[in-house]
Amino acid sequence: MNLFTDIRTLVIENLTLLQAEGVLPAGLDFKNVAVEPPRDPLHGDMATNAAMVLAKPAKMKPRDIAEALAGKLAADGRIDSADVAGPGFLNMRLAATLWQDVIATAIAQGPDFGRSDMGQGRKVNVEFVSANPTGPLHVGHTRGAVFGDALASLLDFSGHEVTREYVINDGGSQIDTLARSVYLRYLEAHGQEVSFPEGVYPGDYLIPVGQALKDKVGDKYVDQPEDIWLEDLRNFGTDKMMDLIREDMAALGVKMDVFFSEKSLYGTGKIEECLNTLDKKGLIYQGTLPPPKGKELTDWEPREQTLFRSTLHGDDVDRPVKKSDGSWTYFAPDIAYHYDKVLRDYDELIDVFGADHGGYVKRMKAAVSALSDGKVPLDIKLCQLVRLFKDGEPFKMSKRAGTFVMLRDLIDLVGADVTRFVMLTRKNDAPLDFDFSKALEQSKDNPVFYVQYAHARVRSVFRKAEAAGIAVDDATLKAADLTLINHEAELTVAKKLAEWPRLVEIAARTNEPHRIAFYLYELAADFHALWNRGNDLPELRFLQEGDIATSQAKIALIRSVSIVISAGLSILGVTPAEEMR
RNA sequence: GCACCCGUAGCUCAGCUGGAUAGAGCGCUGCCCUCCGAAGGCAGAGGUCGCGCGUUCGAAUCGCGCCGGGUGCACCA
């Protein structure tokens, strides 16, 4: 249920009625008629712009339309009052029973309250993380991982059929580097002194991989030329790195549905097939690109190569798919990979990339547009950088090898729940400051704590109620006399709960899970405010001595608060707190 | 040079398919615990929404042009 769409339906019914009565002309388009919460709650519970958007096509004054509509709406039992304001806004006050119904619905639907069918079962593929299999995940990957996972959950919650996918870049030359790095660790495991020249990965995490290789093959590869061991070590290294990455993701609570191997595209004719498809559309040609501008290139010279005419699909320049020596560029298998997704019949594709891939967006969209004839939208979400702080100072982790802060370090320091929530308190295209000390601080300055605290407070009331012998199971609460919930402070919370289904749809439509985090903060604030009103007004306390019916009604209200907080946190991948410690 | 992102209160940031007097938190000022957890709440002060033009009944939001900051430009992956 979504109260806003219910009321919008009511508004449109009455507009139609006005047409039938000849007050409004026929043939009006109602699609721009919106029902929203007014910015200022003093104006009412809901407002509609109907009169203003219809004024021009109906050739009437907005206020006249609004007056006529107000007359109709005021007659409906659900509307306490409908007033015309300003240039033609229609402000409505809703009957208290509607807000009380929200509570009953929340309890009846439990974790599914707010679930939407707006996705209509559309198949969406969310590709995220996709870190090169050359080492463990670091902070930058973490943001993408959290974002992608939360977005996938959000889309699932709003009626999409979601696939979480990771593409393993196991086909490129960075895997040669990995293989050589593993080889050095392998020699080291055999007691050799090794040095790590430029261009290999020096990280400690490869030490056990070298050891494992020794355990597996003994001294078979010692002092052998590269062509003997390279292919084997590419596979061995990639497998070990993917194990590591899977463990990292598991520690963060991220689980993929599909791991797609880029290598599987090579030698199977898939890339060729994809490029043939483009060729048939006249989008492949032999040509020479102009030199890149604004950059001093000393070794640049014009070369003829195979190009994809991406400019016909919105890109700035055409892009090479083959190098001058005839081998594929990185872009070629990536096009083929996205073609594979299109062929797998997804209705929509989403890629979550790091901000450093910004230059890749247009060409990828161009490729998907070309391959699907514009039928499959591709949305690319770029996650900006994460800057680490401690006590307000930039933070660097001292690591023997490398200055990256690893995902594991984050989780060890603050835990997966805090990491996830903090990463989602900023929209993806804004840089994120992550302050360790703040993330662990127990104050309202820390949104993670603030939301968790609200949930813990609800649970605390439940424990007290149970100790007092009051039944607080959902079946009992659902049957509670909710007309006892009628104080303005309580209805404020119920109204915030009513926004939840609408908020979910907005967040899903924009692919912006951070809106969930901000909403939860607002809901927590309304709840904390109500809690404290109980200090001054004893009748607002949730437990009313000797009045079980009222207590149960009030507990039903805060039960629905905890339901929504749990549902929201579940989308973000965070576990709600039972109590604060 | 070009592309993308950002610019909103002293600071960090929200702001819905364009809606009314632009909202939070921190910081500042003053209040509220014999009370379901004060780890919290209430109130006050604080804004040319970077600048200009345009579209519109209406612009922080859309378009164009500037200014400032970030990221990226290749036969790398």
Side-chain angles (χ1 to χ4, degrees), chain A residues 454-473:
Chain A
H455 189 266
R457 274 180 151 177
V458 174
R459 299 304 306 158
S460 167
V461 173
F462 269 70
R463 288 191 291 272
K464 297 250 180 201
E466 283 162 3
I470 301 174
V472 288
D473 58 286

Side-chain angles (χ1 to χ4, degrees), chain A residues 175-220:
Chain A
I175 302 298
D176 289 337
T177 306
L178 173 70
R180 293 184 188 112
S181 310
V182 169
Y183 187 69
L184 288 175
R185 291 300 186 184
Y186 166 75
L187 294 181
E188 197 176 48
H190 277 284
Q192 291 194 21
E193 280 284 324
V194 295
S195 61
F196 292 87
E198 281 287 305
V200 299
Y201 305 127
D204 291 352
Y205 57 87
L206 290 177
I207 294 173
V209 180
Q211 185 63 48
L213 182 63
K214 179 190 168 194
D215 294 345
K216 186 185 167 201
V217 303
D219 60 2
K220 184 170 127 191

Side-chain angles (χ1 to χ4, degrees), chain A residues 350-550:
Chain A
I350 299 177
D351 289 349
V352 179
F353 290 161
D356 55 343
H357 282 64
Y360 212 66
V361 171
K362 283 190 179 179
R363 76 190 70 171
M364 209 64 254
K365 285 189 175 180
V368 171
S369 168
L371 287 165
S372 72
D373 295 318
K375 290 194 185 102
V376 179
L378 167 67
D379 191 11
I380 298 185
K381 306 297 276 189
L382 297 178
C383 288
Q384 292 293 324
L385 296 178
V386 178
R387 294 178 300 211
L388 294 165
F389 292 84
K390 189 166 189 178
D391 299 318
E393 297 295 319
F395 181 72
K396 285 252 193 293
M397 176 118 11
S398 55
K399 269 273 182 201
R400 197 174 70 81
T403 51
F404 287 120
V405 175
M406 297 298 158
L407 176 149
R408 283 311 183 93
D409 300 328
L410 268 182
I411 292 180
D412 290 347
L413 279 166
V414 303
D417 282 342
V418 170
T419 300
R420 294 186 67 124
F421 198 105
V422 172
M423 293 266 174
L424 291 166
T425 51
R426 197 102 315 163
K427 60 181 164 214
N428 61 288
D429 44 21
L432 172 80
D433 290 349
F434 192 112
D435 191 313
F436 290 100
S437 17
K438 188 148 282 179
L440 292 172
E441 192 175 291
Q442 304 220 330
S443 78
K444 66 180 304 190
D445 192 21
N446 178 0
V448 192
F449 164 79
Y450 191 72
V451 171
Q452 292 282 30
Y453 185 33
H455 189 266
R457 274 180 151 177
V458 174
R459 299 304 306 158
S460 167
V461 173
F462 269 70
R463 288 191 291 272
K464 297 250 180 201
E466 283 162 3
I470 301 174
V472 288
D473 58 286
D474 280 349
T476 305
L477 294 181
K478 204 163 59 180
D481 178 9
L482 293 172
T483 60
L484 296 167
I485 301 298
N486 49 28
H487 191 281
E488 150 272 321
E490 295 167 330
L491 292 178
T492 297
V493 174
K495 289 174 186 180
K496 182 57 79 175
L497 292 169
E499 285 179 29
W500 171 239
R502 181 170 182 270
L503 188 280
V504 167
E505 294 196 350
I506 292 170
R509 190 168 59 236
T510 52
N511 291 335
E512 291 183 340
H514 76 276
R515 291 174 189 270
I516 304 287
F518 281 93
Y519 169 82
L520 292 179
Y521 187 88
E522 289 167 16
L523 175 61
D526 285 345
F527 169 75
H528 287 307
L530 174 61
W531 179 290
N532 272 75
R533 288 289 293 275
N535 291 340
D536 297 329
L537 299 174
E539 69 267 27
L540 284 180
R541 296 177 195 171
F542 305 128
L543 295 177
Q544 295 291 321
E545 190 106 15
D547 186 348
I548 290 182
T550 304

Side-chain angles (χ1 to χ4, degrees), chain A residues 231-268:
Chain A
E231 187 55 31
D232 193 18
L233 263 63
R234 281 173 59 103
N235 293 328
F236 187 80
T238 302
D239 288 348
K240 289 295 178 195
M241 290 304 99
M242 285 311 298
D243 287 345
L244 204 58
I245 288 169
R246 267 183 252 253
E247 282 171 32
D248 280 349
M249 291 196 297
L252 193 61
V254 174
K255 199 166 174 294
M256 293 289 169
D257 299 309
V258 175
F259 285 89
F260 188 97
S261 163
E262 181 205 346
K263 204 171 56 181
S264 72
L265 296 166
Y266 288 96
T268 53

